[in-house]
Amino acid sequence: MPLSALFAGVPTLSPLPTLEAAHITSDTRQVSAGSIFFCIRGFTHDGHDFAAKALELGAAAVVCERGLDLGERQILVPDTHEAYALCCANLFGNPQRRLRLVGVTGTNGKTTITHLIRDVLQGLGHKTGLIGTIETDLGGVTFPAKYTTPDPLTFYSILAQMADAGCEYAVMEVSSHGLDQKRVAGCRFAVGVFTNLTQDHLDYHGTMEAYFQAKKSLFSLCDAGVVNLDDPYGRRIVQEAPCPIRSFSTSQDSADYTAKSIELRADGSSFAFVGSGMIARVKFPVPGEFSVSNAMAAIGACLALGCDLQKTTALLAGSHGVPGRFEVLRTGTPYTVIRDYAHTPDAIEKVLSALRAVTRGRIMILFGCAGNRDRKKRVHMTDLAARLADFVVLTSDNPRSEDPMQIIEDAKPGLLQHSTPYAIIPDRYEAIGWALSHCRQGDTLLLAGKGHEDYQVLKHGTIHFDEREVVAELLARGISEKTEDEQGGTDETFGNCRGGRQQRQL
């Protein structure tokens, strides 16, 4: 492709060389003869430091934000993140212009809401693609996702495949990282949805305000927005967004759409969706007030797209939920086992509150804190778990390059603020077996943090780890509920901390 076509509409600060681009990339490992290399400033590395190497590997030119004394072989731009995304869009013929885009952002709820919107649109006869945390759906062909919002080259390739497959819509989760790094530059969203904002990703953004500004930037790319009025940051977006906004709430009549007569049950929830001149009764097969909020967001987005309210709510009633999102595992036991992706303080609080309303016995939560992620949220997670559950099993969750026991030590102070009994078992497989063996009739065991994931990321590599399979295997081996006498009393007993387990008994 001629550079003049590749850079069409892309701001530049230097003349474009007259040459053909054989390939574009921001990764020196992908550089080949005739490539255009984009110098991207990353979280740990700066692509400008690898510009000379890219030229040695055969790159025809490098795109940079500052002069590198490379003569005509450098193309200077104000922002390489934006330039890369816009060039990727041009490379694939701007497929975003052949689709109606729906973007969902926020800390929690993105995956559920995007799936619900996709399911409604498909149910109404519109071929729809999806890009998200769990999977990428090209309008009928699905494959596992690696990142919530892919890099621009992958992202625009996916949109091109959707458009070529005849999709009318593309519904996507838009992460704060993706927005901050301008991976979706060049897109115009028919609708943007904001769920909420709670502590997460501060290792990257630094402050909640920076995190918020990244999320809010989605609405500068939208024709319309649907925003959660129950969230304080959502209320800010209502005031600050540059596009028209419709708000939703589970409690506030000042919202454009309000949930009334909410009923929460173990098998789901129901409510009246009320707006100006409209009302519909909604039955949704996932329990919890957070599920009502997710359903409200999906309905609001579909209305913004011109969908009929009654048809939309009828299709939601037939939804089967999302794998790993408040998913009840089939165990055949007198207690309930649920797996959920809750991996932030807010998500843990919401899912435990939902379980409290429908659990007859005790609630046991098993979770860990991810390695190489925001360390500040660890103690908040254990604090909420110990406050809202009847028993806590603290274990590992993708420790990555960190020492699993150090992660646990970072999180442990939150447990010690409460008298809630707990067990610390670093090995997640062993921890699940221990938790299953201590469940009784009427209890609920929540496996939190991994949700749909079928792997565990360890220091020396990634292993297969699917909690549905783990639970089934352990139960097949004869793990069963124990009696109160078998479980002992409530005195504090501790084992060897390093590599062993610590326990305040059940």
Side-chain angles (χ1 to χ4, degrees):
M1 174 181 279
L3 278 195
S4 58
L6 184 66
F7 279 81
V10 181
T12 58
L13 301 174
S14 63
L16 291 174
T18 303
L19 54 83
E20 293 279 326
H23 176 248
I24 66 175
T25 184
S26 63
D27 186 342
T28 54
R29 294 170 296 182
Q30 304 300 321
V31 170
S32 57
S35 293
I36 306 300
F37 177 73
F38 287 76
C39 302
I40 301 295
R41 291 170 288 102
F43 188 47
T44 57
H45 301 288
D46 186 342
H48 291 80
D49 297 335
F50 303 95
K53 179 180 180 181
L55 293 175
E56 291 173 5
L57 292 170
V62 297
V63 184
C64 47
E65 293 177 356
R66 61 176 186 267
L68 300 173
D69 296 325
L70 299 174
E72 294 182 356
R73 301 186 72 182
Q74 70 178 26
I75 302 169
L76 203 60
V77 298
D79 185 333
T80 52
H81 284 97
E82 180 182 47
Y84 185 43
L86 295 175
C87 285
C88 288
N90 288 335
L91 180 68
F92 289 101
N94 289 290
Q96 75 279 13
R97 298 174 185 171
R98 294 189 281 154
L99 298 159
R100 293 192 76 189
L101 306 181
V102 180
V104 181
T105 198
T107 306
N108 304 122
K110 297 186 297 295
T111 300
T112 296
I113 294 166
T114 51
H115 278 72
L116 293 177
I117 296 170
R118 188 270 310 268
D119 292 349
V120 169
L121 291 173
Q122 287 185 336
L124 292 173
H126 304 291
K127 192 168 186 178
T128 304
L130 180 143
I131 301 174
T133 302
I134 295 179
E135 64 182 3
T136 297
D137 180 354
L138 301 178
V141 177
T142 62
F143 54 89
K146 185 175 181 181
Y147 299 110
T148 299
T149 305
D151 68 273
L153 194 64
T154 304
F155 174 67
Y156 277 105
S157 170
I158 290 170
L159 291 187
Q161 293 176 72
M162 288 180 181
D164 291 344
C167 289
E168 299 176 60
Y169 292 89
V171 184
M172 65 190 76
E173 299 179 47
V174 189
S175 68
S176 59
H177 293 70
L179 287 163
D180 184 64
Q181 297 169 12
K182 300 186 180 179
R183 297 179 203 166
V184 295
C187 287
R188 188 71 190 176
F189 293 85
V191 182
V193 179
F194 175 80
T195 63
N196 63 1
L197 196 75
T198 60
Q199 184 174 334
D200 200 14
H201 303 309
L202 295 191
D203 56 323
Y204 176 88
H205 295 287
T207 66
M208 286 296 293
E209 182 62 21
Y211 184 27
F212 168 69
Q213 292 297 332
K215 294 288 191 184
K216 190 183 74 170
S217 67
L218 171 65
F219 296 92
S220 65
L221 309 175
C222 294
D223 294 330
V226 176
V227 173
N228 181 8
L229 200 66
D230 294 329
D231 184 84
Y233 289 99
R235 293 192 286 275
R236 282 186 60 182
I237 290 179
V238 170
Q239 298 297 320
E240 300 173 17
C243 65
I245 297 292
R246 289 283 181 175
S247 60
F248 65 91
S249 171
T250 60
S251 60
Q252 300 182 58
D253 291 336
S254 58
D256 294 294
Y257 308 124
T258 306
K260 296 286 189 180
S261 304
I262 297 173
E263 296 179 6
L264 305 177
R265 305 178 308 278
D267 62 345
S269 52
S270 62
F271 62 96
F273 180 92
V274 179
S276 178
M278 63 176 70
I279 187 170
R281 191 67 191 171
V282 183
K283 292 183 179 180
F284 189 53
V286 181
E289 189 167 324
F290 67 91
S291 295
V292 174
S293 183
N294 288 341
M296 293 281 290
I299 296 169
C302 290
L303 291 177
L305 294 170
C307 301
D308 177 79
L309 174 61
Q310 302 302 328
K311 291 179 180 178
T312 295
T313 55
L315 287 165
L316 280 183
S319 171
H320 297 293
V322 181
R325 300 305 192 272
F326 217 87
E327 180 185 0
V328 179
L329 303 185
R330 297 180 180 180
T331 61
T333 59
Y335 52 84
T336 301
V337 182
I338 293 174
R339 68 169 184 162
D340 190 82
Y341 193 52
H343 61 283
T344 66
D346 178 69
I348 285 176
E349 181 176 21
K350 287 181 176 177
V351 73
L352 287 175
S353 297
L355 287 175
R356 182 61 66 192
V358 297
T359 299
R360 291 183 293 107
R362 306 165 303 169
I363 297 174
M364 183 186 298
I365 179 173
L366 180 149
F367 75 103
C369 302
N372 301 131
R373 296 295 185 267
D374 183 6
R375 295 181 64 178
K376 296 178 182 177
K377 71 179 182 181
R378 293 171 181 173
V379 70
H380 299 302
M381 292 170 67
T382 50
D383 171 46
L384 285 164
R387 187 188 311 167
L388 298 173
D390 298 305
F391 195 90
V392 177
V393 181
L394 186 58
T395 184
S396 297
D397 181 349
N398 295 335
R400 298 182 173 86
S401 64
E402 286 195 65
D403 177 0
M405 283 308 303
Q406 183 57 57
I407 296 174
I408 286 171
E409 288 301 315
D410 289 346
K412 186 178 173 182
L415 294 178
L416 301 181
Q417 296 175 30
H418 305 273
S419 60
T420 307
Y422 65 84
I424 294 177
I425 308 174
D427 183 289
R428 196 172 181 107
Y429 186 94
E430 180 187 352
I432 293 174
W434 188 94
L436 289 170
S437 72
H438 285 77
C439 284
R440 299 200 302 260
Q441 183 172 350
D443 289 352
T444 296
L445 169 60
L446 172 66
L447 307 177
K450 298 198 66 63
H452 65 282
E453 293 180 352
D454 60 0
Y455 57 84
Q456 183 83 308
V457 185
L458 308 176
K459 180 178 295 186
H460 301 296
T462 300
I463 63 171
H464 181 75
F465 194 93
D466 186 322
E467 289 186 325
R468 284 183 301 184
E469 297 174 5
V470 169
V471 169
E473 178 182 317
L474 287 166
L475 291 175
R477 286 172 46 194
I479 298 293
S480 62
E481 68 277 8
K482 291 186 176 182
T483 66
E484 183 79 25
D485 290 340
E486 288 176 301
Q487 292 168 10
T490 58
D491 294 335
E492 269 192 284
T493 59
F494 294 95
N496 181 9
C497 172
R498 196 68 181 177
R501 80 168 53 143
Q502 304 174 45
Q503 179 181 338
R504 178 186 290 141
Q505 288 187 349
L506 195 62

